[in-house]
Amino acid sequence: MATDKSSFQLVINGILNENPIFRLVLSMCPAVGISTTVMNGLMLGIAVLFVQVFSSVTIAIFKNVIHPRIRIPTYTLTIATWVTVIDMVLAAYLPEAYAKMGIFVKLIVAFAIITMRLEMFASKESVDASFWDGIGMGLGFMAGMVALGFVRELLGLGTLLGYDVLGFQPLLFFVLPFAGFFVVGLMMGFFNYIEVVYKRSKARQA
Amino acid sequence: MKEIFTIVFRLTVSCLLAGLVMGAGLMLTDKAKQRNEHAHEQQVMLSLLGYSKANPPPAELELHEIYRYVVEGADQLSVAYLLPVPEGFTFVNIGLDGNFLNQVPVALSEENVVKPADRGSAILAALGSGKSIRFVDQTIIVTRGASRMAYLLPGEFPGFKTFIKVILAVAPDFTVLGLEIMEHEEDPGLGGEIVKDYFKGQFEGKSFATLRTLDVTKRPIPDEYRRALESEKSDLGENEIGEIRRLYQDKDIYALTGATISSKAVTNGVKAIVKKFAYRISVLDRVLAEEEIDVSF
């Protein structure tokens, strides 16, 4: 089963139609736990993007030699390998970024979204398509995290990217872990509503 | 039954491949990582002494590294220090009872002394056969002109989960000048708070006498003290901060909320490092004075 989507459609698919956070509702632990500020969301997003792309491509290359009964351990092994390598490369060549991103990178081994993408997409599709799917999923995750971080940082701390914009802290509630569920839920509802409105207007035109 | 062998075989091959990739990654990045860590350490050391980019250290400030080894001879164990002297390096051997045994000059260059392997082989060559050495730790003696300004003590001790690595700066009278946490794996938000100014700053200014009996109290940290410790965030003037800090100088360490074990680990670790160092440096100084060894610090 090969996908008939173009590379551009695959990227857009990851960001909109199958957004990991708002549509697939995967990897909710980091989404709720870490998206307290825009910067945190962005850092984790970048880290996920790299791991997703590398792992997707690796699995797409080796998909024919992976025994179906041990595919999940193989995926985990692949992800862990890339996480370790990226961790080492960051520590060696980008020490300043590593100081901020280090703990996020190590967390990624257990992310559901990456394993799920390897199982659903990379293990069936070509290397090329898997690469673009990885980019789309990574960007979609990053976009979701930044959007969550934006709302929570602004409403919880009154700052954006660490800069004081409001001058006061409106509701500290929003940076606490459980508020992540509320923000994710409300934003998911909001995006679903936009989709409904969009489809209705399209149907009316037709 | 045949399938299980295929599965085992393929999993083994995948693990080997993954190991190869990670090993290659380590080989390519390890040197750069160590260089970064060394540069970071240097920067931390200078900032512990109160210097920064805006306030660069004076030219006459010198850092002298001394390395401590355990020497195993045919029938005895001894402690030895590799010390910088004007004409190079010397290896001073001190018995466990604190008496001078011998000293040998070691042929080492300034660049090679920081490399553990080169340093070890040079010392072994100087000692002759029949002895083995084990590196223990290193200390940095900071001098300005002819007088000692501070000691920098890198050290590690067990925390809540794994070892906590720190660098401690102490004055010549062993008053703590500063504490920096280099590496730790305490729980984020609980024990991980040991890196925050309002915790590690509490050690600043503790005198040797206070440190010997220092304990951890579970009472909450007073608000004014916390504000004085987080000086970057607070609106207090410099004089006020100094005054409040002096007020709490001889008090116990206020434990972190929900992380008493981590707080105690750091407190006891710092106490142990300073107490042991104070003893060692007194022995070393006495030996150097008795034997009239002319060292660079």
Side-chain angles (χ1 to χ4, degrees):
Chain A
M1 183 200 87
T3 180
D4 49 1
K5 287 179 180 150
S6 70
S7 48
F8 178 72
Q9 281 172 322
L10 282 170
V11 174
I12 293 301
N13 176 55
I15 299 175
L16 296 177
N17 302 4
E18 290 189 26
N19 185 297
I21 295 177
F22 299 120
R23 305 314 296 265
L24 301 179
V25 202
L26 281 169
S27 288
M28 293 311 283
C29 301
V32 168
I34 291 173
S35 66
T36 47
T37 64
V38 176
M39 206 54 188
N40 279 357
L42 190 65
M43 288 293 174
L44 187 68
I46 295 170
V48 166
L49 176 68
F50 277 100
V51 176
Q52 178 75 75
V53 170
F54 281 122
S55 307
S56 284
V57 170
T58 313
I59 293 299
I61 292 172
F62 292 108
K63 60 177 178 287
N64 294 327
V65 291
I66 294 171
H67 196 287
R69 291 184 63 180
I70 50 160
R71 57 186 198 289
I72 302 294
T74 314
Y75 299 159
T76 314
L77 191 65
T78 311
I79 300 168
T81 307
W82 284 120
V83 165
T84 313
V85 170
I86 290 172
D87 188 69
M88 290 191 290
V89 170
L90 276 180
Y93 300 110
L94 296 166
E96 275 155 34
Y98 183 69
K100 292 199 192 89
M101 277 173 72
I103 62 161
F104 299 137
V105 174
K106 288 180 191 127
L107 280 175
I108 297 175
V109 180
F111 274 20
I113 174 67
I114 298 176
T115 317
M116 175 270 186
R117 247 14 239 178
L118 299 182
E119 166 80 9
M120 299 296 293
F121 199 94
S123 61
K124 296 170 190 152
E125 304 287 349
S126 69
V127 177
D128 190 41
S130 302
F131 174 78
W132 290 111
D133 181 69
I135 297 258
M137 283 297 148
L139 288 177
F141 186 78
M142 196 197 299
M145 290 295 285
V146 170
L148 287 174
F150 181 86
V151 173
R152 292 178 71 184
E153 189 177 357
L154 188 66
L155 294 181
L157 298 172
T159 61
L160 277 181
L161 283 168
Y163 294 104
D164 208 336
V165 255
L166 295 182
F168 64 100
Q169 293 190 353
L171 281 164
L172 189 64
F173 166 75
F174 278 102
V175 287
L176 300 178
F178 46 83
F181 287 106
F182 288 86
V183 181
V184 171
L186 288 172
M187 287 183 76
M188 205 181 283
F190 176 69
F191 286 123
N192 283 348
Y193 177 72
I194 290 181
E195 194 193 354
V196 169
V197 170
Y198 176 74
K199 281 196 176 143
R200 210 180 283 154
S201 72
K202 232 182 176 180
R204 210 171 289 148
Q205 277 169 12
Chain B
M1 198 54 207
K2 228 183 127 197
E3 199 188 8
I4 192 81
F5 291 113
T6 347
I7 290 178
V8 169
F9 176 71
R10 291 202 189 172
L11 254 186
T12 313
V13 171
S14 341
C15 286
L16 283 176
L17 276 177
L20 273 180
V21 173
M22 286 191 258
L26 182 71
M27 272 171 63
L28 291 173
T29 58
D30 200 39
K31 263 193 181 161
K33 187 181 177 183
Q34 277 176 5
R35 203 168 47 234
N36 287 337
E37 277 170 1
H38 187 71
H40 179 59
E41 232 167 66
Q42 293 284 327
Q43 207 188 335
V44 168
M45 286 175 183
L46 287 178
S47 75
L48 277 176
L49 297 173
Y51 300 111
S52 61
K53 268 189 189 138
N55 176 23
E60 66 267 27
L61 190 85
E62 278 187 80
L63 305 181
H64 309 276
E65 301 211 12
I66 65 175
Y67 302 90
R68 188 161 64 98
Y69 281 87
V70 169
V71 181
E72 263 178 86
D75 55 346
Q76 64 173 354
L77 212 61
S78 58
V79 181
Y81 295 88
L82 182 70
L83 308 169
V85 288
E87 55 281 0
F89 293 92
T90 185
F91 197 63
V92 176
N93 210 343
I94 301 171
L96 293 181
D97 53 359
N99 289 325
F100 175 77
L101 293 176
N102 56 30
Q103 73 155 323
V104 280
V106 177
L108 259 174
S109 64
E110 293 273 332
E111 297 91 60
N112 285 344
V113 74
V114 293
K115 295 180 194 152
D118 291 359
R119 196 170 62 220
S121 54
I123 294 172
L124 279 179
L127 279 179
S129 59
K131 305 241 168 146
S132 67
I133 55 168
R134 200 174 68 240
F135 173 66
V136 188
D137 62 7
Q138 69 197 77
T139 305
I140 295 108
I141 300 179
V142 185
T143 57
R144 190 173 177 176
S147 62
R148 286 186 198 176
M149 214 180 104
Y151 302 110
L152 290 167
L153 316 172
E156 62 175 20
F157 43 80
F160 183 48
K161 282 185 180 164
T162 59
F163 284 94
I164 299 174
K165 282 192 181 166
V166 299
I167 296 183
L168 202 62
V170 296
D173 64 349
F174 309 118
T175 302
V176 179
L177 295 174
L179 166 72
E180 188 59 61
I181 314 280
M182 299 302 287
E183 235 177 76
H184 75 92
E185 280 179 38
E186 306 301 290
D187 291 325
L190 296 165
E193 298 281 297
I194 54 172
V195 302
K196 295 280 172 70
D197 283 340
Y198 76 89
F199 180 73
K200 66 180 189 198
Q202 293 183 42
F203 290 93
E204 252 169 68
K206 295 266 187 265
S207 69
F208 192 45
T210 312
L211 205 66
R212 293 177 91 105
T213 56
L214 194 64
D215 205 352
V216 174
T217 167
K218 287 195 192 178
R219 266 173 297 148
I221 182 166
D223 196 41
E224 57 164 7
Y225 189 33
R226 187 173 170 148
R227 274 195 296 154
L229 288 169
E230 291 177 323
S231 50
E232 277 161 32
K233 281 192 220 162
S234 76
D235 42 6
L236 296 168
E238 219 162 275
N239 293 337
E240 271 176 299
I241 289 176
E243 225 163 84
I244 296 172
R245 284 194 182 196
R246 254 193 304 285
L247 200 63
Y248 289 92
Q249 203 162 280
D250 299 326
K251 296 264 174 23
D252 284 344
I253 299 294
Y254 291 96
L256 293 164
T257 314
T260 313
I261 296 178
S262 298
S263 310
K264 278 194 176 153
V266 175
T267 309
N268 291 334
V270 168
K271 275 166 74 172
I273 291 176
V274 178
K275 275 199 264 184
K276 287 176 187 162
F277 174 73
Y279 171 71
R280 282 186 202 124
I281 196 76
S282 71
V283 171
L284 181 64
D285 277 338
R286 182 173 51 74
V287 167
L288 291 181
E290 279 172 7
E291 301 299 319
E292 294 178 346
I293 299 169
D294 179 28
V295 288
S296 315
F297 47 83

